Amino acid sequence: MGDYNSILVAVDLSEEAGEVAAKAARLAAANNAQMHVIHVIEPLSFAYGGDIPIDFSSIQEEIQQQAETQLRGLCANLAVPVERLHIVLGRPENEIHTLAKKLSADLIVVGSHGRHGFALLLGSTANGVLHGATCDVLAMRVGKK
Ligand code: AMP
């Protein structure tokens, strides 16, 4: 048995997501661990609240559908069953922590940088995940930094 039994990999929809997930899958295989994939969609209402009187529901649904199509493809490439793909609404670090606890994950894998983080040493999501985690966190170096 390896060091990890349950690995949760957090992916955004950036070009690096496949690389992050593929490495997590190799780690899961090497540890004979179960791998779950999470993607968190931030509700548009979080950004705009009640400031703009627009109904975001159809745009939100479109975003969700596109994310689902992309991530189902990613999971299929890595032979991760669709039941282990979790697409949830909320704040990424909160939802990643919540699911990691629910699954009793012993390792969370994130990319060091994604959409938000290229100016930083560690992306904001990776940083947020690292801070509240109750299990190991692997920040996979992606991109040029
Ligand atoms: P960032 O904070 O955008 O630089 O992203 C760093 C890493 O955090 C990414 O490579 C992903 O592993 C993870 N991440 C960022 N955004 C999300 C998201 N919406 N859902 C799940 N994971 C995410």
Side-chain angles (χ1 to χ4, degrees), residues 54-132:
I54 295 178
D55 179 6
F56 290 118
S57 51
S58 60
I59 308 172
Q60 192 76 61
E61 206 166 298
E62 175 76 10
I63 292 172
Q64 195 141 345
Q65 268 171 17
Q66 297 226 6
E68 194 155 336
T69 305
Q70 186 170 329
L71 294 167
R72 275 177 180 249
L74 181 146
C75 285
N77 286 341
L78 298 172
V80 173
V82 75
E83 312 81 69
R84 294 200 210 134
L85 169 62
H86 309 265
I87 300 178
V88 292
L89 283 176
R91 300 244 182 247
E93 38 282 60
N94 293 349
E95 298 305 322
I96 293 165
H97 288 146
T98 301
L99 184 64
K101 283 187 194 137
K102 191 171 153 195
L103 297 170
S104 302
D106 38 27
L107 178 68
I108 300 171
V109 178
V110 289
S112 57
H113 301 85
R115 271 188 315 127
H116 303 112
F118 272 102
L120 307 166
L121 206 57
L122 199 60
S124 54
T125 311
N127 200 34
V129 170
L130 190 59
H131 276 91

Side-chain angles (χ1 to χ4, degrees), residues 1-9 20-37 78-81 84 106-107 109 138 140:
M1 203 162 95
D3 288 325
Y4 300 111
N5 296 311
S6 174
I7 297 177
L8 177 62
V9 58
V20 173
K23 193 157 183 180
R26 289 197 294 277
L27 205 56
N31 281 270
N32 207 10
Q34 204 169 67
M35 174 167 126
H36 287 256
V37 177
L78 298 172
V80 173
R84 294 200 210 134
D106 38 27
L107 178 68
V109 178
L138 172 65
M140 248 193 69

